[in-house]
Amino acid sequence: MKAGLLTIAALSALAVAQPHRPGHRHLHGKREVVTETVMATATAPHAVVYVDGNGNPMYTSYDNGRKYSHPTPNSHARPWAEENTSAAPEETTEAAPAPEPTSETSNYVAPAPEPTSETSSYVAPAPEPTSETSSYVAPAPEPTSETSSDVAPSPTTEAPAPSSTTSETSAAPAPTTTSTNSGSSGLSITYSPYNSDNSCKDQDQINMDMAQLSGYSMVRTYGTDCNQTATILNAARANGMKLFAGIYDISNVNSEIDNIVDATNGDWSDIHTIAVGNEGVNNGQYSVDDVVSALGAARSKLSAVGYSGPIVTVDTFVAMIANPQLCQASDYAAANCHAFFDGTITAQDAGKFVVAQAQRVSEACGGMNTMITESGWPSQGESNGVAVPSEENQKAAISSLKDAFSDNLILFTAYNDMWKQNNAGTYGAEQYWGMYGNAPSD
C-alpha cells in the first residue's frame, strides 16, 4: 500500500496522502482522541478539506473549537480526520511507497545484518535466526505454548526492562530471534481511565478494569490528567505489569513530568517507557521541531530526577517514515499503525500489514528498533473499503497481529471508549475498538 503524509498551510494546495491510516488514529488525550486515517487532509486555520486518492475533495470540516479522536484516548486514525485547529507545518513530505511483501509470512526485518535463511525476523545485530520462518520478538524468555488465537493474550513474562541509559541510541526495546510467534508473551495493551460522561475513574474502578488485563506485560496510557499515572501505575503493579506512561500536552512538558515524578515517588522500576506526545505531527498539532525540542527538555528533566529508561515520541507510521527526526530523537522508534484505516486490508491480513509498516519505519529510521504502540480493529462501525468492523473481524485481526508479533506490540485497546466522539474520518467506529467490550467498571 502506498503511504504518504502531507501537511499544507493553504486550502488551495490540496495534496494526497497515501493510505495508511493507521493514520487515523486516535488522539489520546482526555477528550481529544483521534484515529489514523487513510485519507489525506489539507488544512487551514479554520477548515479541513478531505480528499480521495485522486485529489478530489470529499468533504470539508470546520473548526468548532473541539478536537476529535478515534482510537486513543487512543490514537487510531491518524491522519484520521481530526479537525485541526492550528496551522500545518510549512514543509511537505511524502513517504516512499511501501515495498510489497515477499511472502504471506513476511516478517519484520531490520536492514542489517543480512539474513542467513530464507525468511528471517527483525533482529538487533544477530544472533542468527534458527528457522526459516521467524517472528518479530523482544528479548523475553521463550513462551511455553505454540500459538494462541484468543483475543486476550496471556503472556508469561514482563516487558523488556528499561534501558539503563538516557542516550538517544538506547537499544530498548531490543528484539532477538526465535521461531514463529509462540503464544502472546510480551504483548501489551492500551487503557484510558474515563467514564462515558468524560469524568475520571477512581482507583477502585481502575483496579476492577485492570484486573481483567493482568495477562499482559505492559499497559499504555496517554496523559497525566485524572491522576492516571498514579492510579494506573498502582493497578499495574498489583497485576505484575509495567507502565508505558504518556505525556499528551508537550507544550507544558515540565508540568507533565512533575505529575509523573509525583506519581512514581522516585521509584521508576515499573516504568517501561515515557512517551512525549502522541501523533502530534501527523495531526498538524505540532511541528517536528516542536516535538524534538520537547523530547530534549523531557530527557534533561527526567535525567535530573533519576529516570534512566527509554524516552520516545509516538506518531503514526506515516509521520515517522516522512520525518525520521522523530525516531532519531527517541530511544527507539514508536509508531501507531492500524490496518483498518488503509481500506485495502482485510482483518485476516492485519498482522502482515502492520509488520510490513514496522519494517518500513525501521528502515526509514536507519535500522532502529521499532515498537508498534497501537494496533487493533473496531467491532462496530462503517466499512472502510474491504476493512469491515465486526466482532468476528476484530477477533481475526487481533489473532493475525498476535501471529505476527511476539513482542514490541501494544494492542488497541482494552475497552470501548464511550466518552469519545465520531467524525467523518472515524467510520462511526471511534468508540468500539475495545477488545473486551465495555469496561467492567462501566
Side-chain angles (χ1 to χ4, degrees), residues 56-135:
N56 301 311
M58 296 173 65
Y59 52 84
T60 302
S61 64
Y62 297 88
D63 180 10
N64 62 1
R66 301 191 66 176
K67 284 184 180 286
Y68 298 95
S69 53
H70 160 49
T72 191
N74 317 218
S75 58
H76 267 34
R78 306 294 199 229
W80 11 343
E82 165 187 16
E83 292 188 327
N84 184 4
T85 58
S86 62
E90 294 182 0
E91 60 179 356
T92 299
T93 309
E94 181 172 358
E100 293 294 329
T102 56
S103 66
E104 292 186 358
T105 57
S106 173
N107 294 306
Y108 180 15
V109 296
E114 292 295 328
T116 58
S117 59
E118 293 182 3
T119 304
S120 60
S121 64
Y122 176 24
V123 299
E128 297 294 335
T130 57
S131 64
E132 292 188 356
T133 303
S134 57
S135 293

Side-chain angles (χ1 to χ4, degrees), residues 340-382:
F340 175 79
F341 291 102
D342 181 79
T344 67
I345 307 299
T346 64
Q348 292 76 9
D349 290 331
K352 291 190 295 183
F353 174 84
V354 176
V355 162
Q357 307 318 313
Q359 178 178 355
R360 294 181 63 215
V361 171
S362 179
E363 292 171 349
C365 295
M368 288 186 74
N369 294 315
T370 298
M371 178 182 286
I372 296 299
T373 43
E374 268 190 30
S375 195
W377 196 274
S379 62
Q380 295 184 45
E382 304 165 7

Side-chain angles (χ1 to χ4, degrees), residues 140-145 153-159 182 184-187 214-217:
E142 293 196 6
T144 57
S145 61
S154 300
T156 58
T157 60
E158 295 184 350
S182 302
S184 304
S185 176
L187 297 186
S214 60
Y216 292 90
S217 62

Side-chain angles (χ1 to χ4, degrees), residues 146-221:
E146 292 185 358
T147 304
S148 171
S149 59
D150 296 332
V151 172
S154 300
T156 58
T157 60
E158 295 184 350
S163 167
S164 59
T165 176
T166 57
S167 75
E168 295 185 0
T169 58
S170 171
T176 58
T177 318
T178 67
S179 57
T180 55
N181 177 30
S182 302
S184 304
S185 176
L187 297 186
S188 305
I189 196 165
T190 68
Y191 172 77
S192 297
Y194 311 123
N195 293 304
S196 59
D197 62 358
N198 279 324
S199 63
C200 302
K201 291 188 176 183
D202 60 27
Q203 185 71 69
D204 288 341
Q205 288 179 291
I206 291 171
N207 290 345
M208 182 183 300
D209 293 345
M210 291 284 291
Q212 189 168 328
L213 309 178
S214 60
Y216 292 90
S217 62
M218 181 169 67
V219 61
R220 179 188 174 191
T221 59

